[in-house]
Amino acid sequence: MSSSGIHGPTMALALLGSAVTILSTSLGALPALAARGITPRAKDVLMGFSGGIMLAATAFSLVIPALELSEQRYTSRFMPALLVGSSMLVGGLFLHLCNRFIPHEHFEKGPEGGKGGAHLRRIWLFVLAIALHNFPEGLAVGTGVGSQSMKIALPILVGIGLQDIPEGFVVALALMGVAYTRAQALRVAVYTGLVEGVAALIGFFATSLSIGVLPWALAFAGGSMLYVVSDEMIPESHRQEYAREATGGLMVGFVLMMFLDVSLS
């Protein structure tokens, strides 16, 4: 990969990756508009499934490639582990600070973040919460595409696209469950998909500028996704009495993403 320019086919793939992340969430929201509701059991299973895909993508599609790329530069195995691990922690810290200072509201946990949320409509607090959740996913897609390696990019693109669909479905139903209209629910899905698409472009341009950035960008995206899975998805899916079903969904999602990573790379 060269820092001198961005080739046309690669840029087209970046735009495709951005479009997939935007459309997947919106596509998932569409069936929710016709649905009367979803049982808590099904919601937790779908949430666990999405978390499993993200967890496997973190391990197989982001962290392992980051380690392999960094090992090409060092004779010691200590430095790649240290640098990739540090980048993961920075990614997690970034999401922690965003959650702490950006006002947002979760469906289950309620309002969080800075005090500025008092001046925002509640629907925008939901948008910000979902955007914070989706940003690492878009970053992972863009970083994978920016590697200019289909071995890295394709499993991430397919896996994140798949997990965005049930996620968009659950989000749209949850919004309608707190008295928002179908049009508002669809609009929120589109807005949060746009955030993910912008994050994909950010990840793409960051890694396309220099090959030296790629391992750390992959690890940063992996740490950010790991934070989301641990801080939000697993706790949210285990709040009610369907923790075992949610765990089953997580394992199925994890195995599916592992299969995609092996078969597509």
Side-chain angles (χ1 to χ4, degrees), residues 10-99:
T10 308
M11 186 62 195
L13 187 59
L15 294 173
L16 174 63
S18 179
V20 166
T21 58
I22 292 170
L23 294 175
S24 296
T25 305
S26 304
L27 182 63
L30 288 176
L33 305 184
R36 294 183 178 179
I38 185 173
T39 65
R41 186 197 302 267
K43 179 178 75 68
D44 289 347
V45 169
L46 288 173
M47 187 72 70
F49 176 78
S50 293
I53 289 181
M54 290 176 67
L55 198 58
T58 297
F60 299 113
S61 303
L62 296 171
V63 175
I64 290 177
L67 286 168
E68 291 174 345
L69 288 167
S70 58
E71 283 171 357
Q72 297 173 8
R73 307 180 186 182
Y74 300 97
T75 55
S76 164
R77 296 181 68 86
F78 171 78
M79 283 303 293
L82 175 64
L83 293 173
V84 170
S86 299
S87 297
M88 290 181 67
L89 292 175
V90 172
L93 178 62
F94 170 74
L95 258 291
H96 168 72
L97 293 175
C98 288
N99 272 286

Side-chain angles (χ1 to χ4, degrees), residues 155-176:
I156 300 175
L157 183 58
V158 173
I160 296 299
L162 279 177
Q163 76 91 32
D164 274 343
I165 294 174
E167 192 173 279
F169 180 74
V170 170
V171 165
L173 281 177
L175 280 166
M176 289 188 290

Side-chain angles (χ1 to χ4, degrees), residues 1 3 9 12 14 29 51-52 62 64 82 88 140 143 146 157 174 194 210 212 230 251 255:
M1 180 169 57
S3 61
L62 296 171
I64 290 177
L82 175 64
M88 290 181 67
T143 302
L157 183 58
L194 286 171
S210 170
S230 178
M251 293 187 69
V255 170

